[in-house]
Structures are given as structure tokens and as C-alpha cells.
Amino acid sequence: MHFENKHQEETHEKVEQYLGELFDDPYLDEENGHFYVGYGSTILELSVETYGPEETIVLVSAYCVQGVERDEELLLGLLELNHELPVGAFSLVGHDIFFTHAVFGKTLERKNLLGAIAAVATTSDDYDDRIVAKYGGQTALDRIRDTGGRKKRTGVIAD
């Protein structure tokens, strides 16, 4: 793993420590430095990103729905939800919907990380079945069951 600065490395180590205390088997992808944990019916991805020369951001993301049919009503609905939700935001990457919340890394405490994880998992779980029922696709858990978890996030913004 390559760290852009010492703050990113320190935050990454702190996240690794906290996840080890909070979860039985957190997974670290050595290639990209991202962590993966199961929380209820949700798989979460955590990454540590630099935010200027002196700060870091810990992104907690959940695949909410995969393979959704992109629809103007869906896009507007997600934007309205983003306005109403107290934390986090939905995003659409290709045909996959994510829910993500960010917390600052330098002042990160274990309870704040757990709170972010719980918020992301709960919100994703609250909305995934509703989105699938109306717009198609699969919940992340259903996709994992169908594929064995082989689909990787591509980072492609549009088709």
C-alpha cells in the first residue's frame, strides 16, 4: 500500500485497529488499502483518503443496489433523499447505487467510526429493498449470493 502522507498512514492504522476491536474478521485489500466488514445484512467498504496536506477523510460506503435501471424519477428521488438525510449521501455509479458517509480522520475515535458504520449500514438496508422493488436491480446481499461476490467496483462514472 502506498500512503500519500504520514496522516493518511496514521489514520489507516487507527481504522485498522478500531475495526479489529469492533469486528471479528475485517478484511483488508492490500492492493487498494480498503477495508471490508459485514454489518447485519450489509457489506461495507472503508477507505482512508487524504484531504489536504494535514487531514484525512474516512469514507464508509455500502453497495445499496446493483444493476438498477437508471430513471429520472430515481435520480430525483435520490437527490431529495440526500437533502433529507441527516448523514451520508446516495450516489449512482453506472448502474450501482452506493450510500456513503465521511468522517474526519485525524480526530477519529472508535465510537465515531462505529456510528458512521451503523448509519451507513442502516440507511442502505432501509432503502435497498424499496429501490429494487420500484427500479429493479439487486440488493448487494442478493448480488453476493448470486455471484459469490465476484463483481468488483469499477469506478466508471457513466456507461
Side-chain angles (χ1 to χ4, degrees):
M1 276 179 300
H2 168 74
F3 298 106
E4 292 183 34
N5 58 43
K6 70 178 177 122
H7 302 294
Q8 185 182 27
E9 184 174 7
E10 290 168 357
T11 302
H12 192 272
E13 290 170 359
K14 191 185 306 185
V15 169
E16 185 170 29
Q17 175 191 338
Y18 292 161
L19 291 177
E21 294 169 1
L22 294 167
F23 296 93
D24 289 333
D25 293 313
Y27 173 75
L28 171 60
D29 184 335
E30 292 287 342
E31 188 176 317
N32 64 18
H34 295 190
F35 298 95
Y36 298 87
V37 296
Y39 189 95
S41 64
T42 305
I43 302 296
L44 301 169
E45 177 180 7
L46 292 89
S47 65
V48 177
E49 309 296 333
T50 58
Y51 187 73
E54 299 287 323
E55 184 57 91
T56 56
I57 298 287
V58 178
L59 294 173
V60 182
S61 301
Y63 275 104
C64 187
V65 176
Q66 294 180 283
V68 71
E69 287 300 318
R70 294 163 52 152
D71 175 276
E72 183 177 342
E73 183 181 349
L74 169 66
L75 300 177
L76 291 173
L78 292 175
L79 286 173
E80 289 174 4
L81 278 172
N82 286 345
H83 179 71
E84 295 170 8
L85 292 169
V87 298
F90 285 98
S91 61
L92 181 68
V93 178
H95 292 275
D96 297 337
I97 297 173
F98 298 88
F99 186 76
T100 303
H101 179 59
V103 292
F104 285 104
K106 277 181 69 175
T107 57
L108 183 67
E109 295 180 13
R110 192 176 102 140
K111 67 181 180 180
N112 302 105
L113 182 62
L114 181 58
I117 289 169
V120 169
T122 301
T123 303
S124 181
D125 192 46
D126 284 349
Y127 286 97
D128 61 358
D129 289 324
R130 291 189 255 178
I131 292 169
V132 168
K134 192 164 184 177
Y135 301 102
Q138 290 181 292
T139 66
L141 187 59
D142 288 341
R143 178 64 65 97
I144 289 169
R145 287 181 184 139
D146 287 352
T147 66
R150 289 184 295 272
K151 183 173 192 256
K152 287 194 170 192
R153 185 172 174 177
T154 62
V156 175
I157 294 176
D159 293 329

